[in-house]
Amino acid sequence: MHHAQNLIAGRFVPAADGRVDDDLCPADGALLGTAPRSSRADAEAAVEAAREAFPSWEDTPAPLRGDILFRAARLLEARAEELARTLALEEGKVLADARGEVGKTLRYLVFAAGDARRLHGITAPSELPGTLAYTYWRPRGVVGLITPWNFPLCIPVWKLAPALVAGNTVVLKPAPETPLTADLVARIFVEAGLPPGVLNVVHGDADPAAALLDHPEVAAISFTGSTEVGRIVERRCAETHKAVQCELGGKNPILVLDDADVDLAARAAALGAFGSTGQRCTATSRAIVMEAVADAFVEGVSRLAAEVVAGHPLDPAAAMGPAVSLRQLEKVLSYRGVGDEEGARLAHGGDRMTEGALGAGFFPRPTVWDRVRADSRIAREEIFGPVLSVIRVSSVDEAVAAANAIEFGLTSSVFTRDLGRAFECVRRLDSGMTQVNAPTVGGEGHLPFGGVKATGTGPREMGPDAWKFYAEQKTVYVNHGGAARTSRIY
Ligand code: NAD
């Protein structure tokens, strides 16, 4: 049994009023532990601790800040298996996927720690004689990080690392569904040597998160989660003049053109749609397929859907775990009626898996809808489950138009053997990332990650510039020539 605690001013503490929430495994309802159900007051105490810690963290030379992150990476590596098992049990993804998440987190953390020696500004020639003109980057101060459950290790770390490297102090409000992973992250960073108050963690749901949005001492918010909550975050940050970065919902398409390797495309679609129970932000949820290959594609992907072995996340035979919660399962199942009403053809699934031990968990069956209209709800709305909507089209133009016809734009993929058509799609698809002849899922930490339109506002996460969201550029003019500067106005 693991009892997560808040981290405030270097101490692991319960919520001030002592309330806790149970943390249950979505595969079988097993009680894994508890976490504080924090209030606004807990979040405010965390902000105060971060505010107090900021001046000396800002003064700590950036390479020394980076050294602490390198130590955190070594500790994370040493505890990789414990992290993978914890996140598999509470989020529900199978152990192989959880191990993949740990590996990705580790690689990104090492990359971001190195940024501590690359917080480069510019020097530029000045119009004025005897003048040095340069820029440098100042941390923003206290930053608030609000994260979702679907990558409970990766996403907190891909925000934390650049924020800390750039010299900010942090209050992290992790997802209530996955507190134990966040607790391990907090303990690893403390053990790595972060001074008290530099990282604070407040568990709970909307109340402590809203307190971060409202607090005048919080200079910036980095949020990943649903578009619905993201809109609240964006509005509130505008009102309180905070810098804001949001990574929100998605409905990622795979385009299968008539010259594609259909078998490869079907396997990529199945991996993207059903892997991690369709709960990746980069999951494939629309297949936009040219008529000439549509029957073969639907047949292939439906067969793969039927072959998915669902099971407990720690069962080595399982390829797909449960939905994260009953609420999420019910949301996925509710789209069965929507698809029927909209006249789509159910090629596979649509129901809950209850065979044997699966009945004790929240398992949606991998689902394929065929002949979906591009403007229907199952083609436009984020379901966040193992559900693929196949939209049939007759040309590349129609495929691109269907792909771009929704409000989201995280990632996309195109399957074709024609390089010219591939690059045309890359150029025309409205998404932050595009894959060619590869699944929509995945991404590497040293490259930027994020979406356009209702999926993403603010600069990209990860990649070489991630830390810049957490810093402000200052421009400096030094008159070292001694000439009086009275005549220059502009
Ligand atoms: P969510 O929006 O329900 O919750 C995200 C976080 O916001 C949680 O920490 C939650 O406690 C907090 N929150 C809830 N209500 C709030 C409020 N009123 N004010 C401030 N914070 C509040 O999202 P979720 O269900 O945890 O995660 C799934 C969503 O995340 C999906 O929509 C998915 O597409 C998205 N996601 C996007 C990306 C991306 O990079 N674009 C990555 C991962 C997940």
Side-chain angles (χ1 to χ4, degrees):
M1 191 75 67
H2 178 161
H3 297 290
Q5 297 208 294
N6 289 339
L7 171 61
I8 298 178
R11 293 179 48 237
F12 285 94
V13 294
D17 61 14
R19 289 184 303 171
V20 294
D21 285 313
D22 289 342
D23 187 31
L24 306 177
C25 174
D28 57 10
L31 180 63
L32 305 171
T34 63
R37 187 192 299 171
S38 307
S39 64
R40 295 182 73 96
D42 295 305
E44 283 159 8
V47 173
E48 182 53 26
R51 195 189 60 76
E52 278 179 20
F54 176 66
S56 77
W57 184 242
E58 181 187 23
D59 285 347
T60 303
L64 301 190
R65 300 197 293 255
D67 287 347
I68 294 176
L69 294 202
F70 280 120
R71 272 202 295 282
R74 289 195 290 274
L75 292 168
L76 199 143
E77 189 168 28
R79 297 178 74 171
E81 195 56 17
E82 178 189 5
L83 278 161
R85 292 177 77 85
T86 301
L87 88 86
L89 281 171
E90 66 177 354
E91 199 269 354
K93 67 182 67 174
V94 295
L95 196 53
D97 288 350
R99 287 180 179 141
E101 181 172 343
V102 175
K104 178 176 178 150
T105 305
L106 188 57
R107 292 191 294 279
Y108 177 65
L109 183 53
V110 170
F111 177 77
D115 279 336
R117 292 175 187 271
R118 290 188 292 263
L119 305 177
H120 299 152
I122 59 169
T123 56
S126 169
E127 294 170 1
L128 299 164
T131 298
L132 168 67
Y134 70 97
T135 68
Y136 77 104
W137 292 87
R138 306 176 76 204
R140 290 188 185 274
V142 178
V143 301
L145 313 178
I146 304 172
T147 55
W149 47 263
N150 68 332
F151 282 92
L153 177 63
C154 218
I155 295 180
V157 171
W158 87 39
K159 294 181 190 296
L160 266 180
L164 294 173
V165 152
N168 302 273
T169 54
V170 170
V171 180
L172 167 67
K173 208 302 288 168
E177 294 85 351
T178 49
L180 307 186
T181 307
D183 191 63
L184 289 176
V185 169
R187 289 172 196 276
I188 283 170
F189 276 79
V190 167
E191 197 183 330
L194 280 185
V198 170
L199 168 63
N200 305 273
V201 180
V202 186
H203 294 276
D205 201 355
D207 284 348
L212 297 181
L213 304 182
D214 292 344
H215 204 296
E217 289 291 343
V218 175
I221 294 282
S222 181
F223 174 86
T224 301
S226 61
T227 297
E228 187 189 357
V229 176
R231 288 195 180 111
I232 298 173
V233 171
E234 285 169 10
R235 266 199 302 272
R236 194 65 193 125
C237 287
E239 282 160 5
T240 54
H241 304 293
K242 296 186 196 336
V244 62
Q245 173 184 55
C246 284
E247 283 301 335
L248 310 174
K251 187 83 178 174
N252 308 299
I254 179 171
L255 275 59
V256 186
L257 306 190
D258 53 8
D259 63 346
D261 178 335
V262 179
D263 179 55
L264 190 68
R267 281 189 281 128
L271 177 78
F274 314 134
S276 296
T277 328
Q279 296 179 143
R280 288 173 163 129
C281 40
T282 53
T284 313
S285 43
R286 296 181 293 156
I288 300 172
V289 188
M290 287 178 72
E291 269 293 354
V293 292
D295 287 343
F297 176 83
V298 172
E299 193 204 311
V301 82
S302 300
R303 184 174 25 81
L304 292 166
E307 287 172 3
V308 171
V309 178
H312 190 280
L314 301 188
D315 176 354
M320 188 189 91
V324 73
S325 63
L326 180 60
R327 195 178 67 143
Q328 194 58 35
L329 173 70
E330 285 172 345
K331 180 179 175 194
V332 173
L333 296 178
S334 74
Y335 278 89
R336 167 68 196 267
V338 176
D340 283 338
E341 262 171 42
E342 292 180 329
R345 189 184 78 80
L346 188 63
H348 187 79
D351 58 343
R352 179 175 182 172
M353 301 177 95
T354 52
E355 301 89 327
L358 299 182
F362 309 133
F363 290 89
R365 195 178 307 281
T367 298
V368 180
W369 290 99
D370 189 14
R371 300 189 179 279
V372 174
R373 282 201 332 270
D375 62 350
S376 60
R377 284 182 58 198
I378 55 169
R380 286 186 290 111
E381 296 179 10
E382 182 180 58
I383 299 173
F384 224 48
V387 181
L388 183 70
S389 294
V390 179
I391 301 161
R392 294 173 177 237
V393 293
S394 51
S395 66
V396 178
D397 280 349
E398 205 188 324
V400 171
N404 290 345
I406 62 163
E407 65 172 340
F408 301 117
L410 182 60
T411 184
S412 56
S413 108
V414 54
F415 278 76
T416 175
R417 291 187 170 97
D418 180 330
L419 212 50
R421 286 168 122 192
F423 277 105
E424 185 191 345
C425 291
V426 166
R427 184 174 61 77
R428 292 172 61 197
L429 286 168
D430 293 336
S431 58
M433 300 169 284
T434 295
Q435 309 249 6
V436 176
N437 293 324
T440 56
V441 294
E444 300 179 20
H446 57 290
L447 290 156
F449 178 93
V452 301
K453 302 198 283 189
T455 294
T457 50
R460 296 279 181 273
E461 301 199 70
M462 297 196 282
D465 296 326
W467 58 269
K468 289 183 180 169
F469 170 70
Y470 298 99
E472 301 207 61
Q473 206 165 188
K474 183 160 204 164
T475 306
V476 185
Y477 298 92
V478 181
N479 173 10
H480 57 83
R485 253 176 59 174
T486 49
S487 60
R488 184 174 189 263
I489 306 299
Y490 301 107

